[in-house]
Amino acid sequence: MVALLFILFAGLATGCALSMVVQRNPLYSAISLVGVFISLAALYVMLAAPFIAAVQIIVYAGAIMVLVVFVIMLLNVEEEARRRLRLRLLIPTAVLLAGVLIAEAAFVLYSVQASQPAPQDPSTSPVGLTASIGTGLFTTYLLPFEITSVLLLMAIVGAMTLARRAAILPADALVIPGAQVLTKSIVDRRDVGDATPVTTDTTAEAAQLLGEDDSHEKDF
């Protein structure tokens, strides 16, 4: 029974992974990746690792993939169109690298089976259980855990800093003649949603359109 369940979930994971790579629509690829995560979670449950299975569902299949799908739908990414292959060596190289990966996986499986210790009852082993992971995380590995938290916080702050939009025209900004194109909704707040382009030829003209003080103008 266990072998049949392993074959079932392993086949589902492999099929969803192949579907993720083959699909041209990024939304379908993301949904296929969710199938891979769910299949891996089922395999973790079979290996008596409920905590890792729960994290796989909650964090990866839940939070991260919801964010990925939201970004794909927000950007309105369309289906990729087939284009002529520029480098003809890509396909043989991909086949060669896939063969190397399969050979490495086969070597790892052979090495594990050759050096396999005495079988242990999964019900008595603390490996993968919530209690053992929590104990090790907040005792032996407390410092790496806190360093990871600080790195994630730095990444969030950096992303917010990069995504922050600056003002359209600061008070001390100069407009290069002929290079400043504004939408009509920016020039006149009453024209909400009007994206008609308004081109300014001089700094004074741009300042007049935006109602800015042109006392800071300088001659180029």
Side-chain angles (χ1 to χ4, degrees):
M1 184 63 181
V2 177
L4 292 177
L5 290 177
F6 175 79
I7 294 174
L8 174 62
F9 291 119
L12 287 176
T14 306
C16 292
L18 292 176
S19 176
M20 179 191 66
V21 176
V22 173
Q23 290 290 342
R24 295 285 178 176
N25 193 319
L27 183 59
Y28 296 158
S29 297
I31 295 175
S32 300
L33 187 57
V34 173
V36 175
F37 290 151
I38 294 176
S39 302
L40 290 179
L43 292 176
Y44 289 143
V45 172
M46 294 177 58
L47 293 174
F51 179 81
I52 301 177
V55 169
Q56 185 78 18
I57 294 293
I58 296 173
V59 177
Y60 288 95
I64 294 180
M65 290 313 302
V66 167
L67 178 62
V68 170
V69 172
F70 177 76
V71 171
I72 292 175
M73 298 178 66
L74 182 64
L75 297 178
N76 195 20
V77 181
E78 298 180 355
E79 184 176 353
E80 182 184 1
R82 291 184 177 272
R83 295 178 296 180
R84 185 174 59 87
L85 188 63
R86 296 182 179 180
L87 299 177
R88 299 185 179 277
L89 294 177
L90 289 180
I91 295 179
T93 304
V95 173
L96 177 62
L97 294 178
V100 172
L101 180 61
I102 294 174
E104 290 180 354
F107 175 75
V108 170
L109 292 176
Y110 175 77
S111 300
V112 170
Q113 292 179 357
S115 60
Q116 188 173 6
Q120 187 177 5
D121 188 5
S123 60
T124 60
S125 175
V127 177
L129 298 180
T130 307
S132 61
I133 293 177
T135 302
L137 190 63
F138 292 101
T139 54
T140 307
Y141 302 101
L142 179 61
L143 180 60
F145 177 74
E146 295 298 333
I147 293 177
T148 305
S149 304
V150 174
L151 290 177
L152 292 175
L153 178 61
M154 294 172 60
I156 294 174
V157 174
M160 294 176 61
T161 303
L162 294 176
R164 185 179 61 183
R165 296 182 179 180
I168 297 175
L169 187 63
D172 57 346
L174 296 178
V175 180
I176 300 176
Q180 183 70 29
V181 180
L182 306 173
T183 60
K184 195 173 181 181
S185 60
I186 296 176
V187 176
D188 192 348
R189 299 295 182 183
R190 295 173 296 181
D191 298 331
V192 179
D194 193 346
T196 304
V198 179
T199 305
T200 58
D201 295 326
T202 62
T203 302
E205 185 178 352
Q208 182 179 3
L209 287 174
L210 294 175
E212 298 285 344
D213 186 11
D214 58 354
S215 59
H216 59 275
E217 287 183 21
K218 297 181 181 179
D219 294 330
F220 290 98

